[in-house]
Amino acid sequence: MVRTRVGYAGGRKKDPTYRSLGDHSETIQIDYDPTVISFAELLDVFWASHNPTTRPWSRQYMSIIFYHDDEQKRLAVESRDREAARTNGEIFTEIVPASEFYLAEAYHQKYRLRQVTDLVKEFDVMYPALEDFVGSTAAARVNGYVGGYGSLEDLEAELDSLGLSPAGSERLLDIVRGLGR
């Protein structure tokens, strides 16, 4: 992942917030390098990360794929159809054109990373401006590792590129080791 940001999309209300969401859904915006991972592979991760046969209990928490062009739409529909055949159930995930994305409040950004205060302090020094922290590839990668995504081997391979101090690097390694990845 190059960057991840959480926010709201899919609705008509201007400038939604968590407390005044309107008809938007909570979502994640992912910037990725297609030479490293394809949109189809991202869809595989999406389907493996939740149960699309569960009816959403609100628009806020619905399962939704936003596409940006006809090719992404085609791939999303094909992946939904494969998932329906695999589960032999009704799929409640919607596939809709991307609309304006509204960034969620600061406390929602890099949520898992924010639970590890010593690492957050390091990122605060590296990125004193919130928009730089939110847009940071390193913060996105560390957030993923802290959240249980990525292997120890993957982390070891990229650890030096994350900008952490030796103590921060060791702390992150300990977390990932503790997760058994």
Side-chain angles (χ1 to χ4, degrees), residues 56-79:
W57 55 277
S58 73
R59 181 153 180 86
Q60 180 177 0
Y61 300 114
M62 69 184 296
S63 173
I64 190 166
I65 297 171
F66 295 100
Y67 62 86
H68 293 271
D69 57 36
D70 289 340
E71 177 65 5
Q72 286 185 350
K73 179 181 180 181
R74 181 186 68 76
L75 291 168
V77 169
E78 287 176 0
S79 69

PDB file of all heavy atoms in Angstrom, residues 56-79:
ATOM      1  N   PRO A  56     -26.208  -5.679   5.903  1.00  0.00           N
ATOM      2  CA  PRO A  56     -25.750  -4.566   6.749  1.00  0.00           C
ATOM      3  C   PRO A  56     -26.903  -4.042   7.600  1.00  0.00           C
ATOM      4  O   PRO A  56     -28.043  -4.002   7.151  1.00  0.00           O
ATOM      5  CB  PRO A  56     -25.287  -3.514   5.736  1.00  0.00           C
ATOM      6  CG  PRO A  56     -26.042  -3.823   4.491  1.00  0.00           C
ATOM      7  CD  PRO A  56     -26.255  -5.316   4.485  1.00  0.00           C
ATOM      8  N   TRP A  57     -26.583  -3.646   8.816  1.00  0.00           N
ATOM      9  CA  TRP A  57     -27.643  -3.141   9.679  1.00  0.00           C
ATOM     10  C   TRP A  57     -27.805  -1.631   9.554  1.00  0.00           C
ATOM     11  O   TRP A  57     -28.727  -1.057  10.117  1.00  0.00           O
ATOM     12  CB  TRP A  57     -27.444  -3.582  11.124  1.00  0.00           C
ATOM     13  CG  TRP A  57     -26.130  -3.236  11.738  1.00  0.00           C
ATOM     14  CD1 TRP A  57     -24.960  -3.917  11.615  1.00  0.00           C
ATOM     15  CD2 TRP A  57     -25.846  -2.121  12.557  1.00  0.00           C
ATOM     16  NE1 TRP A  57     -23.959  -3.298  12.304  1.00  0.00           N
ATOM     17  CE2 TRP A  57     -24.485  -2.186  12.907  1.00  0.00           C
ATOM     18  CE3 TRP A  57     -26.590  -1.056  13.044  1.00  0.00           C
ATOM     19  CZ2 TRP A  57     -23.861  -1.248  13.710  1.00  0.00           C
ATOM     20  CZ3 TRP A  57     -25.971  -0.123  13.853  1.00  0.00           C
ATOM     21  CH2 TRP A  57     -24.630  -0.218  14.171  1.00  0.00           C
ATOM     22  N   SER A  58     -26.923  -0.995   8.782  1.00  0.00           N
ATOM     23  CA  SER A  58     -27.099   0.434   8.491  1.00  0.00           C
ATOM     24  C   SER A  58     -26.265   0.788   7.267  1.00  0.00           C
ATOM     25  O   SER A  58     -25.316   0.083   6.909  1.00  0.00           O
ATOM     26  CB  SER A  58     -26.674   1.291   9.676  1.00  0.00           C
ATOM     27  OG  SER A  58     -25.266   1.306   9.799  1.00  0.00           O
ATOM     28  N   ARG A  59     -26.621   1.885   6.621  1.00  0.00           N
ATOM     29  CA  ARG A  59     -25.849   2.357   5.475  1.00  0.00           C
ATOM     30  C   ARG A  59     -24.425   2.734   5.903  1.00  0.00           C
ATOM     31  O   ARG A  59     -23.479   2.581   5.145  1.00  0.00           O
ATOM     32  CB  ARG A  59     -26.550   3.543   4.830  1.00  0.00           C
ATOM     33  CG  ARG A  59     -25.788   4.059   3.620  1.00  0.00           C
ATOM     34  CD  ARG A  59     -26.689   4.732   2.615  1.00  0.00           C
ATOM     35  NE  ARG A  59     -25.917   5.199   1.496  1.00  0.00           N
ATOM     36  CZ  ARG A  59     -25.593   4.457   0.438  1.00  0.00           C
ATOM     37  NH1 ARG A  59     -26.000   3.219   0.360  1.00  0.00           N
ATOM     38  NH2 ARG A  59     -24.873   4.961  -0.548  1.00  0.00           N
ATOM     39  N   GLN A  60     -24.280   3.200   7.109  1.00  0.00           N
ATOM     40  CA  GLN A  60     -22.972   3.604   7.616  1.00  0.00           C
ATOM     41  C   GLN A  60     -21.967   2.459   7.544  1.00  0.00           C
ATOM     42  O   GLN A  60     -20.809   2.678   7.241  1.00  0.00           O
ATOM     43  CB  GLN A  60     -23.104   4.082   9.061  1.00  0.00           C
ATOM     44  CG  GLN A  60     -21.796   4.523   9.681  1.00  0.00           C
ATOM     45  CD  GLN A  60     -21.973   5.067  11.088  1.00  0.00           C
ATOM     46  OE1 GLN A  60     -23.082   5.116  11.619  1.00  0.00           O
ATOM     47  NE2 GLN A  60     -20.889   5.487  11.689  1.00  0.00           N
ATOM     48  N   TYR A  61     -22.408   1.247   7.820  1.00  0.00           N
ATOM     49  CA  TYR A  61     -21.493   0.106   7.900  1.00  0.00           C
ATOM     50  C   TYR A  61     -21.694  -0.912   6.790  1.00  0.00           C
ATOM     51  O   TYR A  61     -21.339  -2.071   6.925  1.00  0.00           O
ATOM     52  CB  TYR A  61     -21.654  -0.585   9.258  1.00  0.00           C
ATOM     53  CG  TYR A  61     -21.338   0.340  10.408  1.00  0.00           C
ATOM     54  CD1 TYR A  61     -22.325   0.722  11.299  1.00  0.00           C
ATOM     55  CD2 TYR A  61     -20.058   0.845  10.583  1.00  0.00           C
ATOM     56  CE1 TYR A  61     -22.046   1.572  12.349  1.00  0.00           C
ATOM     57  CE2 TYR A  61     -19.766   1.702  11.627  1.00  0.00           C
ATOM     58  CZ  TYR A  61     -20.773   2.059  12.514  1.00  0.00           C
ATOM     59  OH  TYR A  61     -20.485   2.907  13.551  1.00  0.00           O
ATOM     60  N   MET A  62     -22.243  -0.495   5.682  1.00  0.00           N
ATOM     61  CA  MET A  62     -22.497  -1.433   4.592  1.00  0.00           C
ATOM     62  C   MET A  62     -21.211  -1.847   3.890  1.00  0.00           C
ATOM     63  O   MET A  62     -20.193  -1.172   3.967  1.00  0.00           O
ATOM     64  CB  MET A  62     -23.478  -0.826   3.596  1.00  0.00           C
ATOM     65  CG  MET A  62     -22.918   0.341   2.807  1.00  0.00           C
ATOM     66  SD  MET A  62     -24.119   1.118   1.736  1.00  0.00           S
ATOM     67  CE  MET A  62     -24.464  -0.199   0.633  1.00  0.00           C
ATOM     68  N   SER A  63     -21.271  -2.973   3.222  1.00  0.00           N
ATOM     69  CA  SER A  63     -20.166  -3.474   2.418  1.00  0.00           C
ATOM     70  C   SER A  63     -20.309  -2.883   1.020  1.00  0.00           C
ATOM     71  O   SER A  63     -21.340  -3.050   0.371  1.00  0.00           O
ATOM     72  CB  SER A  63     -20.233  -5.011   2.371  1.00  0.00           C
ATOM     73  OG  SER A  63     -19.282  -5.518   1.487  1.00  0.00           O
ATOM     74  N   ILE A  64     -19.260  -2.188   0.579  1.00  0.00           N
ATOM     75  CA  ILE A  64     -19.372  -1.468  -0.693  1.00  0.00           C
ATOM     76  C   ILE A  64     -18.007  -1.400  -1.379  1.00  0.00           C
ATOM     77  O   ILE A  64     -16.983  -1.277  -0.726  1.00  0.00           O
ATOM     78  CB  ILE A  64     -19.953  -0.054  -0.438  1.00  0.00           C
ATOM     79  CG1 ILE A  64     -20.329   0.652  -1.718  1.00  0.00           C
ATOM     80  CG2 ILE A  64     -19.046   0.777   0.417  1.00  0.00           C
ATOM     81  CD1 ILE A  64     -21.208   1.874  -1.488  1.00  0.00           C
ATOM     82  N   ILE A  65     -18.024  -1.522  -2.682  1.00  0.00           N
ATOM     83  CA  ILE A  65     -16.833  -1.341  -3.508  1.00  0.00           C
ATOM     84  C   ILE A  65     -17.092  -0.137  -4.407  1.00  0.00           C
ATOM     85  O   ILE A  65     -18.084  -0.100  -5.126  1.00  0.00           O
ATOM     86  CB  ILE A  65     -16.555  -2.579  -4.391  1.00  0.00           C
ATOM     87  CG1 ILE A  65     -16.267  -3.803  -3.523  1.00  0.00           C
ATOM     88  CG2 ILE A  65     -15.392  -2.304  -5.355  1.00  0.00           C
ATOM     89  CD1 ILE A  65     -16.210  -5.100  -4.312  1.00  0.00           C
ATOM     90  N   PHE A  66     -16.193   0.825  -4.349  1.00  0.00           N
ATOM     91  CA  PHE A  66     -16.265   1.983  -5.228  1.00  0.00           C
ATOM     92  C   PHE A  66     -15.279   1.763  -6.378  1.00  0.00           C
ATOM     93  O   PHE A  66     -14.112   1.478  -6.142  1.00  0.00           O
ATOM     94  CB  PHE A  66     -15.883   3.265  -4.482  1.00  0.00           C
ATOM     95  CG  PHE A  66     -16.842   3.627  -3.381  1.00  0.00           C
ATOM     96  CD1 PHE A  66     -16.548   3.327  -2.061  1.00  0.00           C
ATOM     97  CD2 PHE A  66     -18.042   4.250  -3.669  1.00  0.00           C
ATOM     98  CE1 PHE A  66     -17.424   3.662  -1.042  1.00  0.00           C
ATOM     99  CE2 PHE A  66     -18.931   4.584  -2.664  1.00  0.00           C
ATOM    100  CZ  PHE A  66     -18.619   4.291  -1.343  1.00  0.00           C
ATOM    101  N   TYR A  67     -15.755   1.900  -7.597  1.00  0.00           N
ATOM    102  CA  TYR A  67     -14.865   1.726  -8.748  1.00  0.00           C
ATOM    103  C   TYR A  67     -14.653   3.068  -9.437  1.00  0.00           C
ATOM    104  O   TYR A  67     -15.474   3.976  -9.348  1.00  0.00           O
ATOM    105  CB  TYR A  67     -15.419   0.686  -9.724  1.00  0.00           C
ATOM    106  CG  TYR A  67     -16.753   1.037 -10.345  1.00  0.00           C
ATOM    107  CD1 TYR A  67     -16.835   1.829 -11.492  1.00  0.00           C
ATOM    108  CD2 TYR A  67     -17.943   0.577  -9.782  1.00  0.00           C
ATOM    109  CE1 TYR A  67     -18.051   2.150 -12.060  1.00  0.00           C
ATOM    110  CE2 TYR A  67     -19.169   0.905 -10.344  1.00  0.00           C
ATOM    111  CZ  TYR A  67     -19.216   1.690 -11.475  1.00  0.00           C
ATOM    112  OH  TYR A  67     -20.426   2.017 -12.027  1.00  0.00           O
ATOM    113  N   HIS A  68     -13.504   3.161 -10.125  1.00  0.00           N
ATOM    114  CA  HIS A  68     -13.116   4.420 -10.774  1.00  0.00           C
ATOM    115  C   HIS A  68     -13.191   4.389 -12.290  1.00  0.00           C
ATOM    116  O   HIS A  68     -13.087   5.432 -12.927  1.00  0.00           O
ATOM    117  CB  HIS A  68     -11.707   4.822 -10.333  1.00  0.00           C
ATOM    118  CG  HIS A  68     -11.637   5.191  -8.890  1.00  0.00           C
ATOM    119  ND1 HIS A  68     -11.838   6.457  -8.437  1.00  0.00           N
ATOM    120  CD2 HIS A  68     -11.428   4.421  -7.798  1.00  0.00           C
ATOM    121  CE1 HIS A  68     -11.748   6.483  -7.125  1.00  0.00           C
ATOM    122  NE2 HIS A  68     -11.500   5.256  -6.706  1.00  0.00           N
ATOM    123  N   ASP A  69     -13.331   3.201 -12.862  1.00  0.00           N
ATOM    124  CA  ASP A  69     -13.430   3.109 -14.318  1.00  0.00           C
ATOM    125  C   ASP A  69     -14.133   1.801 -14.687  1.00  0.00           C
ATOM    126  O   ASP A  69     -14.439   0.975 -13.815  1.00  0.00           O
ATOM    127  CB  ASP A  69     -12.046   3.220 -14.982  1.00  0.00           C
ATOM    128  CG  ASP A  69     -11.050   2.174 -14.502  1.00  0.00           C
ATOM    129  OD1 ASP A  69     -11.448   1.011 -14.239  1.00  0.00           O
ATOM    130  OD2 ASP A  69      -9.851   2.504 -14.400  1.00  0.00           O
ATOM    131  N   ASP A  70     -14.378   1.624 -15.978  1.00  0.00           N
ATOM    132  CA  ASP A  70     -15.115   0.438 -16.439  1.00  0.00           C
ATOM    133  C   ASP A  70     -14.378  -0.866 -16.130  1.00  0.00           C
ATOM    134  O   ASP A  70     -15.006  -1.879 -15.827  1.00  0.00           O
ATOM    135  CB  ASP A  70     -15.398   0.529 -17.946  1.00  0.00           C
ATOM    136  CG  ASP A  70     -16.434   1.590 -18.279  1.00  0.00           C
ATOM    137  OD1 ASP A  70     -17.203   1.986 -17.382  1.00  0.00           O
ATOM    138  OD2 ASP A  70     -16.462   2.022 -19.450  1.00  0.00           O
ATOM    139  N   GLU A  71     -13.062  -0.848 -16.217  1.00  0.00           N
ATOM    140  CA  GLU A  71     -12.290  -2.061 -15.934  1.00  0.00           C
ATOM    141  C   GLU A  71     -12.418  -2.454 -14.461  1.00  0.00           C
ATOM    142  O   GLU A  71     -12.603  -3.626 -14.136  1.00  0.00           O
ATOM    143  CB  GLU A  71     -10.813  -1.863 -16.313  1.00  0.00           C
ATOM    144  CG  GLU A  71      -9.928  -3.045 -15.996  1.00  0.00           C
ATOM    145  CD  GLU A  71     -10.237  -4.309 -16.783  1.00  0.00           C
ATOM    146  OE1 GLU A  71     -11.101  -4.311 -17.678  1.00  0.00           O
ATOM    147  OE2 GLU A  71      -9.609  -5.338 -16.479  1.00  0.00           O
ATOM    148  N   GLN A  72     -12.322  -1.488 -13.558  1.00  0.00           N
ATOM    149  CA  GLN A  72     -12.508  -1.794 -12.136  1.00  0.00           C
ATOM    150  C   GLN A  72     -13.925  -2.301 -11.875  1.00  0.00           C
ATOM    151  O   GLN A  72     -14.115  -3.231 -11.085  1.00  0.00           O
ATOM    152  CB  GLN A  72     -12.217  -0.572 -11.268  1.00  0.00           C
ATOM    153  CG  GLN A  72     -10.751  -0.254 -11.148  1.00  0.00           C
ATOM    154  CD  GLN A  72     -10.474   0.881 -10.185  1.00  0.00           C
ATOM    155  OE1 GLN A  72     -11.376   1.586  -9.719  1.00  0.00           O
ATOM    156  NE2 GLN A  72      -9.198   1.086  -9.878  1.00  0.00           N
ATOM    157  N   LYS A  73     -14.898  -1.716 -12.545  1.00  0.00           N
ATOM    158  CA  LYS A  73     -16.279  -2.187 -12.373  1.00  0.00           C
ATOM    159  C   LYS A  73     -16.393  -3.642 -12.828  1.00  0.00           C
ATOM    160  O   LYS A  73     -16.980  -4.474 -12.128  1.00  0.00           O
ATOM    161  CB  LYS A  73     -17.249  -1.313 -13.164  1.00  0.00           C
ATOM    162  CG  LYS A  73     -18.692  -1.776 -13.039  1.00  0.00           C
ATOM    163  CD  LYS A  73     -19.638  -0.915 -13.858  1.00  0.00           C
ATOM    164  CE  LYS A  73     -21.075  -1.401 -13.709  1.00  0.00           C
ATOM    165  NZ  LYS A  73     -22.003  -0.601 -14.499  1.00  0.00           N
ATOM    166  N   ARG A  74     -15.833  -3.941 -13.985  1.00  0.00           N
ATOM    167  CA  ARG A  74     -15.894  -5.310 -14.513  1.00  0.00           C
ATOM    168  C   ARG A  74     -15.254  -6.291 -13.537  1.00  0.00           C
ATOM    169  O   ARG A  74     -15.828  -7.338 -13.210  1.00  0.00           O
ATOM    170  CB  ARG A  74     -15.191  -5.380 -15.874  1.00  0.00           C
ATOM    171  CG  ARG A  74     -15.228  -6.773 -16.519  1.00  0.00           C
ATOM    172  CD  ARG A  74     -14.389  -6.835 -17.798  1.00  0.00           C
ATOM    173  NE  ARG A  74     -12.970  -6.706 -17.555  1.00  0.00           N
ATOM    174  CZ  ARG A  74     -12.198  -7.683 -17.056  1.00  0.00           C
ATOM    175  NH1 ARG A  74     -12.713  -8.851 -16.756  1.00  0.00           N
ATOM    176  NH2 ARG A  74     -10.905  -7.487 -16.877  1.00  0.00           N
ATOM    177  N   LEU A  75     -14.081  -5.948 -13.036  1.00  0.00           N
ATOM    178  CA  LEU A  75     -13.381  -6.830 -12.107  1.00  0.00           C
ATOM    179  C   LEU A  75     -14.161  -6.995 -10.803  1.00  0.00           C
ATOM    180  O   LEU A  75     -14.230  -8.099 -10.241  1.00  0.00           O
ATOM    181  CB  LEU A  75     -11.974  -6.297 -11.825  1.00  0.00           C
ATOM    182  CG  LEU A  75     -10.989  -6.368 -12.992  1.00  0.00           C
ATOM    183  CD1 LEU A  75      -9.741  -5.558 -12.695  1.00  0.00           C
ATOM    184  CD2 LEU A  75     -10.643  -7.822 -13.315  1.00  0.00           C
ATOM    185  N   ALA A  76     -14.760  -5.915 -10.327  1.00  0.00           N
ATOM    186  CA  ALA A  76     -15.544  -5.987  -9.085  1.00  0.00           C
ATOM    187  C   ALA A  76     -16.764  -6.880  -9.259  1.00  0.00           C
ATOM    188  O   ALA A  76     -17.072  -7.710  -8.393  1.00  0.00           O
ATOM    189  CB  ALA A  76     -15.955  -4.585  -8.653  1.00  0.00           C
ATOM    190  N   VAL A  77     -17.469  -6.721 -10.372  1.00  0.00           N
ATOM    191  CA  VAL A  77     -18.659  -7.550 -10.636  1.00  0.00           C
ATOM    192  C   VAL A  77     -18.259  -9.017 -10.773  1.00  0.00           C
ATOM    193  O   VAL A  77     -18.905  -9.908 -10.199  1.00  0.00           O
ATOM    194  CB  VAL A  77     -19.409  -7.040 -11.883  1.00  0.00           C
ATOM    195  CG1 VAL A  77     -20.476  -8.033 -12.329  1.00  0.00           C
ATOM    196  CG2 VAL A  77     -20.034  -5.674 -11.606  1.00  0.00           C
ATOM    197  N   GLU A  78     -17.193  -9.294 -11.503  1.00  0.00           N
ATOM    198  CA  GLU A  78     -16.729 -10.679 -11.657  1.00  0.00           C
ATOM    199  C   GLU A  78     -16.352 -11.283 -10.307  1.00  0.00           C
ATOM    200  O   GLU A  78     -16.680 -12.438 -10.020  1.00  0.00           O
ATOM    201  CB  GLU A  78     -15.545 -10.743 -12.615  1.00  0.00           C
ATOM    202  CG  GLU A  78     -15.919 -10.540 -14.058  1.00  0.00           C
ATOM    203  CD  GLU A  78     -14.710 -10.512 -14.994  1.00  0.00           C
ATOM    204  OE1 GLU A  78     -13.558 -10.663 -14.505  1.00  0.00           O
ATOM    205  OE2 GLU A  78     -14.913 -10.330 -16.201  1.00  0.00           O
ATOM    206  N   SER A  79     -15.671 -10.492  -9.469  1.00  0.00           N
ATOM    207  CA  SER A  79     -15.259 -11.021  -8.166  1.00  0.00           C
ATOM    208  C   SER A  79     -16.471 -11.242  -7.268  1.00  0.00           C
ATOM    209  O   SER A  79     -16.526 -12.227  -6.534  1.00  0.00           O
ATOM    210  CB  SER A  79     -14.243 -10.088  -7.492  1.00  0.00           C
ATOM    211  OG  SER A  79     -14.835  -8.866  -7.091  1.00  0.00           O
TER     212      SER A  79
END
